[in-house]
Amino acid sequence: MVNIEQCLAALTQVLGENDKDVPLHEPKFNGNEWQYVKDCLDSGWVSSVGEYVTLFEQKIADYTGMPYAIAVMNGTAALHVCLLLADVAREDEVLIPSLTFVATANAVTYCGAHPHFIECHESHLGIDLDKLRTYLTQIAIVKDKQCINKLTGRRIKAIIPVHIFGHPIEMSLLQTLAQEFHLKIIEDASESLGSFYRGVHTGHASDIACLSFNGNKVVTTGGGGAILIKDEALAKKAKHMTTTAKRPHRYEFYHDEIGYNYRLPNINAALGCAQLERLPQMIENKRHLAKRYQDVFSDIQGASILQEPQYAKSNYWLNALILDKPDRSFIEHFIDSAVERKYHLRGLWTPMDRLPMYQSSPKMDLTMTHQLFDRVISLPSSPHLGGVYA
Amino acid sequence: MVNIEQCLAALTQVLGENDKDVPLHEPKFNGNEWQYVKDCLDSGWVSSVGEYVTLFEQKIADYTGMPYAIAVMNGTAALHVCLLLADVAREDEVLIPSLTFVATANAVTYCGAHPHFIECHESHLGIDLDKLRTYLTQIAIVKDKQCINKLTGRRIKAIIPVHIFGHPIEMSLLQTLAQEFHLKIIEDASESLGSFYRGVHTGHASDIACLSFNGNKVVTTGGGGAILIKDEALAKKAKHMTTTAKRPHRYEFYHDEIGYNYRLPNINAALGCAQLERLPQMIENKRHLAKRYQDVFSDIQGASILQEPQYAKSNYWLNALILDKPDRSFIEHFIDSAVERKYHLRGLWTPMDRLPMYQSSPKMDLTMTHQLFDRVISLPSSPHLGGVYA
């Protein structure tokens, strides 16, 4: 049994005593945010066309090293478009972790496709690739370069790895597996802006990936997201699809396919431009915070702080305390006790296969996912808590 | 043949001579916009939870007189949710004008339903209700309180009236027709914020309606929209659906149905709150501008400015010059000539039935729509051009 008083003391060592709430993750706007937003208001260009959108997209591409970035209004929209770009069609199946935010599963259903839930590994909370290989070998066959689920008869078109809490999974192993089973990879890097896999930013292991700039993310635009793309033609297609598929014309309105109004407004992009300027400092802060959590929790029996895989450099989006054994009552008690000290902790997302709308979706054995749901607590992880930079 | 020089001279009388571009419609941020946006940045609450969202929703409800307003990230999202709230299902048909912005049709397809295009009337550019009645009597039958399209065998579930350029259609006649044919009405008031039908704001003729706050609209939030709802339970459902269907809980993440991430960020709502404060002045400006256009174009042969129906008070979102006879070449020539004087005009949207993805959709005779496409030009209509208020 983990000692709750010791855990609270450890938290206090890192977070100090506070009059004000310490949220799970909050942004700071102490760079050029106000200047850029004001410039945007002064110009009158707050909406879907504007210089900050272009600049923001360029800055994202520069930082991640992906050739093209298309800004959209949130990570869910980015994922939806990624799935469409990957030709995921009605009645296809898409492999996704049961341990993820609900947007991953919902985006699949927006395409009329079925999420197919897969197991995670306790060492990084992402997909367990060994178990997945065994599972696919059992239930899938490859026929005419398509992966068919023998149990449902449906095509398994794609797989969405999620770098949970910013910790990259072992993408080279996933690439091998995906190639073998003819699965398209869509990298969900929503939580991993600033996380690197073997020296390369997350998102490079596939042709398309997505980012999120929600209010609780490392970089926020209020609400926002981006699609990362390698291929120029595909990037043009993504831009077209997300801007109502309108053909460029000075005054005519002609749309040549079913499009989406997923544009990021310029005012939100202005915020993002300023935030991105401070991203390297924020990551350093966050890594320092992670180190402090690791230090103070190192003596506590029965629990430990999740650390980045040895092949990766993680942004430590959310720091996770992992209990050696499942203990739902400890988690609830710990969260409640921490709130009394103003610390806002959180449990894991309810596993997707336990949500009512996904209870009958195809899935593999999810024992570890369900265990981890009763073992993991997220700790306050705002960049400024790291204390290296203001 | 309309005299183009006379038209240009009329435009100049209203718009003056300019060094800078006169866009079709642009916002001004000379109220409390800066203050509220700055307050939002200072508070750190820029994202999906925040006081400005609640305040914005309350202000919209107060202004329109609809009991509930749910802020979302754009008009397309608002329409999509309205259709879901109206129980529009896969393979249903939804009657919409062919003369509208593409979002109306796209939102229908997002539900897996089929847009069914209907004819407009030249007096207000909205649905021609007489022709629609004749058409429905021919092609539809009511069976078990459902309207069935005899030609396709599909259920016609709903109708979306659009108040084109802010001019309300005769909603009491539509209500009678809709009742007779068991059609749900979803009022698309995207263009008619500040327009009143028989003394009541647009949106009241049905249980659900939508607004848009795109950059080109009377009030802008960068990108934004709202769902207007009469019923409390339905309003709660709309809020739930647009916020990922997450059950309220302090730290748990449990979603009980397939939801959408359609929340309006707080920073965009802050902009909207300030804009709404000036809405009455903006409407007065816009109505004054319309009067000036009507005056200067009154002497011009073969063309006239569209005026509000006698039963309505319109916001005159976009002023429309209507040629007596179709003349595509005049329209193109006029738009090109006006640009030389910095005036940005625009033609009508390409009729929906002419877009490649909707060419095989069901439709009634659309002669007037196609005629109007070659008869209507939109004129610069930004509120400040009215000159009553700065």
Side-chain angles (χ1 to χ4, degrees):
Chain A
M1 179 90 180
V2 183
N3 186 309
I4 205 161
E5 290 307 322
Q6 284 180 356
C7 287
L8 287 168
L11 275 187
T12 307
Q13 260 189 278
V14 175
L15 302 173
E17 293 186 6
N18 293 273
D19 297 333
K20 287 187 182 170
D21 284 332
V22 181
L24 191 70
H25 203 290
E26 64 174 348
K28 282 254 173 180
F29 303 113
N30 50 2
N32 289 319
E33 283 83 358
W34 175 236
Q35 188 186 319
Y36 295 169
V37 168
K38 182 160 182 313
D39 176 54
C40 188
L41 290 181
D42 289 343
S43 76
W45 290 101
V46 293
S47 192
S48 50
V49 180
E51 289 178 4
Y52 282 107
V53 172
T54 310
L55 186 62
F56 187 52
E57 292 178 338
Q58 189 53 55
K59 277 174 178 276
I60 296 166
D62 289 347
Y63 182 82
T64 61
M66 283 287 274
Y68 303 95
I70 314 295
V72 292
M73 60 191 183
N74 56 45
T76 312
L79 256 176
H80 182 200
V81 174
C82 283
L83 287 158
L84 295 172
L85 291 174
D87 295 322
V88 169
R90 178 157 292 283
E91 293 304 319
D92 277 343
E93 292 180 10
V94 177
L95 300 169
I96 70 168
S98 176
L99 182 61
T100 184
F101 179 57
V102 73
T104 321
N106 285 345
V108 173
T109 67
Y110 300 160
C111 301
H114 302 267
H116 184 147
F117 299 116
I118 57 180
E119 176 68 308
C120 68
H121 197 285
E122 68 178 325
S123 71
H124 49 60
L125 309 186
I127 300 170
D128 186 322
L129 292 168
D130 288 336
K131 286 186 186 162
L132 180 59
R133 171 177 293 279
T134 305
Y135 176 66
L136 285 180
T137 306
Q138 285 164 1
I139 67 118
I141 46 161
V142 174
K143 219 161 80 180
D144 300 332
K145 296 188 176 178
Q146 297 196 327
C147 181
I148 307 296
N149 180 339
K150 290 188 284 186
L151 307 174
T152 62
R154 296 188 291 234
R155 177 174 70 165
I156 305 176
K157 179 69 185 176
I159 182 166
I160 307 181
V162 187
H163 305 300
I164 303 291
F165 297 163
H167 300 300
I169 71 164
E170 179 57 281
M171 289 303 287
S172 67
L173 295 180
L174 175 61
Q175 283 173 311
T176 307
L177 188 64
Q179 202 164 17
E180 201 173 313
F181 283 92
H182 289 270
L183 302 169
K184 283 203 182 175
I185 299 175
I186 296 160
E187 216 171 323
D188 184 344
S190 299
E191 306 173 18
S192 66
L193 179 66
S195 293
F196 292 78
Y197 166 73
R198 300 194 185 277
V200 178
H201 196 277
T202 47
H204 280 256
S206 52
D207 297 329
I208 36 181
C210 73
L211 295 174
S212 165
F213 309 111
N214 190 18
N216 64 351
K217 293 302 193 302
V218 184
V219 158
T220 186
T221 58
I227 307 161
L228 302 176
I229 302 188
K230 284 186 181 162
D231 177 69
E232 187 183 356
L234 208 60
K236 281 188 179 157
K237 190 174 174 191
K239 191 72 178 176
H240 190 63
M241 284 172 63
T242 56
T243 54
T244 73
K246 182 179 177 300
R247 278 203 200 150
H249 190 282
R250 230 166 53 257
Y251 57 82
E252 274 182 15
F253 275 69
Y254 187 89
H255 311 257
D256 58 14
E257 61 176 318
I258 291 168
Y260 299 85
N261 188 357
Y262 278 169
R263 300 172 277 208
L264 184 72
N266 204 41
I267 185 172
N268 302 80
L271 200 59
C273 285
Q275 288 263 293
L276 276 182
E277 289 172 353
R278 294 192 297 111
L279 179 54
Q281 287 96 314
M282 289 198 281
I283 298 295
E284 208 176 317
N285 262 350
K286 287 178 76 62
R287 291 181 57 80
H288 191 248
L289 177 65
K291 186 73 178 55
R292 289 173 68 195
Y293 275 131
Q294 287 160 23
D295 287 346
V296 298
F297 278 94
S298 64
D299 291 337
I300 289 172
Q301 292 290 313
S304 56
I305 298 289
L306 183 65
Q307 298 196 31
E308 65 194 357
Q310 40 86 12
Y311 52 76
K313 189 177 167 193
S314 173
N315 67 1
Y316 282 97
W317 170 49
L318 289 185
N319 284 284
L321 181 69
I322 308 195
L323 309 178
D324 293 350
K325 292 177 189 163
D327 191 343
R328 192 80 211 147
S329 114
F330 173 88
I331 289 180
E332 289 170 5
H333 191 190
F334 186 34
I335 292 176
D336 285 335
S337 310
V339 163
E340 290 169 21
R341 302 192 186 196
K342 308 276 187 188
Y343 308 145
H344 291 266
L345 317 185
R346 197 179 74 186
L348 277 184
W349 311 281
T350 303
M352 292 299 107
D353 61 292
R354 287 183 176 174
L355 299 181
M357 61 285 195
Y358 295 126
Q359 266 168 9
S360 58
S361 300
K363 63 186 175 196
M364 61 187 275
D365 179 78
L366 297 169
T367 304
M368 179 56 71
T369 299
H370 297 161
Q371 261 201 31
L372 284 170
F373 179 62
D374 293 330
R375 287 176 57 197
V376 175
I377 305 131
S378 298
L379 309 180
S381 300
S382 306
H384 63 271
L385 297 175
V388 184
Y389 296 91
Chain B
M1 179 89 182
V2 184
N3 185 309
I4 204 162
E5 289 306 323
Q6 284 180 355
C7 288
L8 288 168
L11 275 187
T12 306
Q13 261 189 276
V14 175
L15 302 173
E17 293 186 3
N18 292 274
D19 297 334
K20 287 187 183 170
D21 284 331
V22 181
L24 191 71
H25 203 290
E26 65 174 347
K28 282 252 173 181
F29 303 113
N30 51 1
N32 288 318
E33 284 83 358
W34 289 5
Q35 189 187 320
Y36 295 171
V37 169
K38 177 89 168 43
D39 176 53
C40 188
L41 289 182
D42 289 344
S43 76
W45 290 102
V46 294
S47 191
S48 50
V49 180
E51 289 177 5
Y52 282 106
V53 172
T54 310
L55 186 63
F56 186 53
E57 290 177 339
Q58 190 53 55
K59 278 173 177 277
I60 296 166
D62 289 347
Y63 181 82
T64 60
M66 283 286 275
Y68 302 95
I70 314 294
V72 294
M73 60 191 183
N74 56 44
T76 312
L79 256 176
H80 181 201
V81 174
C82 284
L83 287 158
L84 295 172
L85 291 174
D87 295 323
V88 169
R90 179 157 292 283
E91 292 304 319
D92 277 344
E93 291 181 11
V94 178
L95 300 170
I96 70 167
S98 176
L99 182 60
T100 184
F101 178 58
V102 73
T104 322
N106 285 345
V108 173
T109 66
Y110 300 160
C111 301
H114 301 267
H116 183 149
F117 299 115
I118 57 181
E119 177 67 308
C120 67
H121 197 285
E122 67 177 328
S123 71
H124 49 59
L125 308 186
I127 300 171
D128 186 321
L129 293 167
D130 288 336
K131 286 187 187 161
L132 180 59
R133 171 177 293 280
T134 307
Y135 176 67
L136 285 179
T137 307
Q138 285 165 359
I139 67 118
I141 47 162
V142 174
K143 219 161 81 178
D144 301 332
K145 297 189 176 177
Q146 296 196 327
C147 181
I148 306 295
N149 181 339
K150 290 189 283 188
L151 307 176
T152 62
R154 294 188 291 233
R155 176 173 72 165
I156 305 177
K157 178 70 184 176
I159 182 166
I160 307 180
V162 186
H163 305 300
I164 303 290
F165 297 162
H167 300 300
I169 71 162
E170 179 57 282
M171 289 303 286
S172 67
L173 296 181
L174 176 61
Q175 284 173 311
T176 308
L177 188 65
Q179 203 163 19
E180 203 173 308
F181 283 92
H182 290 271
L183 302 171
K184 284 205 182 174
I185 299 175
I186 296 159
E187 216 172 323
D188 184 344
S190 298
E191 305 173 18
S192 67
L193 179 66
S195 292
F196 291 79
Y197 166 74
R198 300 194 184 278
V200 177
H201 196 276
T202 47
H204 280 256
S206 52
D207 297 328
I208 35 181
C210 72
L211 295 174
S212 164
F213 310 111
N214 190 18
N216 64 349
K217 292 303 193 303
V218 184
V219 158
T220 186
T221 58
I227 307 161
L228 302 176
I229 302 187
K230 283 186 179 159
D231 177 69
E232 186 183 356
L234 208 59
K236 280 188 180 160
K237 191 174 174 189
K239 191 73 179 175
H240 190 62
M241 283 171 64
T242 55
T243 54
T244 73
K246 182 181 179 298
R247 280 204 198 149
H249 191 284
R250 229 168 53 257
Y251 57 82
E252 274 182 15
F253 275 70
Y254 187 88
H255 311 257
D256 57 15
E257 60 177 319
I258 291 167
Y260 298 86
N261 188 357
Y262 277 170
R263 301 172 277 207
L264 184 71
N266 203 43
I267 184 173
N268 302 81
L271 199 59
C273 285
Q275 289 263 293
L276 276 182
E277 290 172 353
R278 295 191 299 111
L279 179 55
Q281 287 97 313
M282 289 198 279
I283 297 295
E284 209 177 317
N285 262 349
K286 287 177 74 64
R287 290 181 58 81
H288 192 249
L289 177 64
K291 186 75 180 54
R292 290 173 67 195
Y293 275 131
Q294 286 159 24
D295 288 347
V296 300
F297 277 95
S298 63
D299 292 336
I300 289 173
Q301 293 289 313
S304 56
I305 298 289
L306 183 65
Q307 297 194 31
E308 65 194 358
Q310 41 86 12
Y311 52 76
K313 189 177 167 195
S314 173
N315 67 1
Y316 284 96
W317 170 50
L318 289 185
N319 283 284
L321 181 69
I322 307 197
L323 310 178
D324 293 350
K325 291 177 188 163
D327 191 343
R328 193 80 212 146
S329 114
F330 173 88
I331 290 180
E332 288 171 5
H333 191 188
F334 186 33
I335 291 176
D336 284 335
S337 309
V339 163
E340 290 167 20
R341 301 192 187 196
K342 307 275 186 189
Y343 308 146
H344 291 266
L345 318 185
R346 199 178 73 184
L348 277 184
W349 310 282
T350 303
M352 292 301 106
D353 62 291
R354 287 183 175 173
L355 299 181
M357 61 286 196
Y358 295 126
Q359 266 167 9
S360 58
S361 300
K363 62 186 174 196
M364 62 186 276
D365 179 76
L366 298 168
T367 303
M368 179 56 72
T369 299
H370 296 160
Q371 263 200 29
L372 285 170
F373 179 62
D374 293 331
R375 288 176 56 197
V376 175
I377 305 131
S378 299
L379 308 180
S381 300
S382 305
H384 64 271
L385 297 174
V388 183
Y389 296 92

